[in-house]
Amino acid sequence: MTPDNIRSKTLPWTINLGVAVAAFIVAAALVLGLGIGNWVLVIVVGTAFYLGGLFAAASRVEGRRSARNRLWQTLIYGACVLAILPLASVVWTLVSKGAARLDGDFFGSSMNNIGARDPNGGAYHAIIGTLEQVGIATLMAVPLGVLGAIYLVEYGRGKFALTVRFFVDVMTGIPSIVAGLFILAFWVLIVSPWFNNGTPRFSGFAASLALTVLMLPTIVRSTEEMLRLVPGPLREGAYALGVPQWKTIVKVVLPTALPGIVTGVMLAVARAAGETAPVLLVAGGAAAINFDPFAGNQSSLALFVYGQAGDASRYAPDRAWTAALTLVALVLILTIAAKLLARRNRLT
């Protein structure tokens, strides 16, 4: 037996390409010739013809078993392409339409005193609002979420832990407007008058509280799953050396699960940064710059995009696209920075 004798036959890539070209030519002739559809139907029909032709050609050359493997491999690659296409389309649309207002005026000015016929105006006030609101919400939600997940995994037993886990699951699916209404009814209408001479007051901090409500369940659930993935022998080894449980959690469990925890936190941050309804309900929105998150109306990038998208000015759509691109870029930068900070040292 020589390698040439035991090597199985493989379908040449030229035949694969030929089957694809022939399939789409036949599909175009059938669909466009009969006038039953457009290029979308040509792609669908051509893909079906290609899969059938590929299976037939591969069965003749490689055998039915290899042909089935090649068919499913093609389907998996096609599903991957279909999953990437919407993401690529969104990125391309944001970059192509959002580049129109990538200038210093957009990042250095607000919409204060900007009329419908004024091409200037920017999102500086919205960027400041987003950074402050999401930053404060993160400072409140991350410790609470991580500590809650530690309780559920390391200490929680019995009905109380099951109840906490159940309500966390329920909170994961609540609409953002419900969180905004809760903070509006509790903080803005009841608590804030105590600090403002009996008058309710909108603020960026109220928006941060609403975003905290939305971030908490995501952080708790993701952190809980990451902590459960930490191997049990790591804990047992620490306990065998006489290390207390709290120190085992701090020194062993949390560092091991840190990359996954950071991913969950950034998912929560991304969701909070893109919320519009809570900011509109409890922060009110503003055209001017407000650096104080505890007093006065404040805007955010998501709210800025919402307002500009519905504005009648001919210059508003460009501002909305650039603000959307800025929001995506901001979340991307924060995610990369968090990943770099949480990256663990590896043996070389």
Side-chain angles (χ1 to χ4, degrees), residues 2 40 90 184:
T2 63
V40 177
V90 169
L184 176 66

Side-chain angles (χ1 to χ4, degrees), residues 4-317:
D4 292 335
N5 293 331
I6 65 175
R7 186 179 295 118
S8 61
K9 293 182 179 180
T10 304
L11 185 70
W13 68 270
T14 53
I15 296 180
N16 197 338
L17 180 62
V19 171
V21 172
F24 283 101
I25 290 177
V26 173
L30 180 63
V31 173
L32 301 179
L34 297 178
I36 59 176
N38 54 12
W39 62 271
V40 177
L41 186 59
V42 171
I43 294 177
V44 175
V45 176
T47 302
F49 286 169
Y50 167 69
L51 292 175
L54 177 64
F55 182 77
S59 297
R60 188 175 182 84
V61 176
E62 301 176 342
R64 295 185 63 86
R65 182 177 181 180
S66 297
R68 286 194 296 268
N69 179 71
R70 183 180 289 273
L71 178 64
W72 283 105
Q73 188 179 29
T74 303
L75 289 173
I76 292 172
Y77 287 160
C80 179
V81 172
L82 289 177
I84 293 176
L85 280 178
L87 177 61
S89 176
V90 169
V91 173
W92 171 253
T93 303
L94 285 176
V95 173
S96 60
K97 295 188 176 183
R101 283 299 314 275
L102 285 177
D103 50 42
D105 180 69
F106 182 83
F107 294 102
S109 63
S110 67
M111 291 298 295
N112 196 28
N113 298 325
I114 298 296
R117 298 183 178 181
D118 195 341
N120 297 321
Y124 179 64
H125 63 299
I127 296 174
I128 295 299
T130 296
L131 292 176
E132 290 185 350
Q133 294 163 20
V134 176
I136 295 174
T138 303
L139 291 177
M140 292 187 293
V142 171
L144 292 176
V146 172
L147 291 176
I150 291 174
Y151 167 77
L152 292 176
V153 176
E154 304 292 339
Y155 297 97
R157 300 293 185 272
K159 293 183 178 180
F160 181 72
L162 293 177
T163 303
V164 172
R165 190 175 291 109
F166 171 75
F167 279 106
V168 168
D169 292 337
V170 171
M171 288 180 60
T172 304
I174 64 171
S176 59
I177 194 170
V178 175
L181 288 173
F182 169 71
I183 298 301
L184 176 66
F186 171 70
W187 182 266
V188 176
L189 299 180
I190 297 178
V191 178
S192 66
W194 297 352
F195 307 98
N196 195 35
N197 298 324
T199 303
R201 180 169 58 185
F202 289 163
S203 64
F205 180 73
S208 298
L209 292 176
L211 298 180
T212 301
V213 174
L214 296 174
M215 293 173 64
L216 265 176
T218 302
I219 295 175
V220 172
R221 291 299 294 161
S222 60
T223 304
E224 180 184 0
E225 295 301 323
M226 291 302 104
L227 293 179
R228 291 188 186 280
L229 291 177
V230 177
L234 290 179
R235 298 181 176 88
E236 295 169 1
Y239 297 153
L241 294 175
V243 180
Q245 185 176 11
W246 69 269
K247 187 172 291 187
T248 300
I249 295 172
V250 173
K251 297 293 186 179
V252 177
V253 177
L254 287 180
T256 304
L258 185 59
I261 294 174
V262 170
T263 300
V265 169
M266 295 315 302
L267 288 175
V269 168
R271 181 191 179 185
E275 291 294 346
T276 303
V279 182
L280 181 62
L281 284 173
V282 300
I289 300 172
N290 180 17
F291 290 98
D292 187 359
F294 298 98
N297 291 21
Q298 199 174 51
S299 185
S300 69
L301 279 171
L303 185 57
F304 181 82
V305 172
Y306 171 76
Q308 292 299 308
D311 198 291
S313 173
R314 57 177 293 191
Y315 305 106

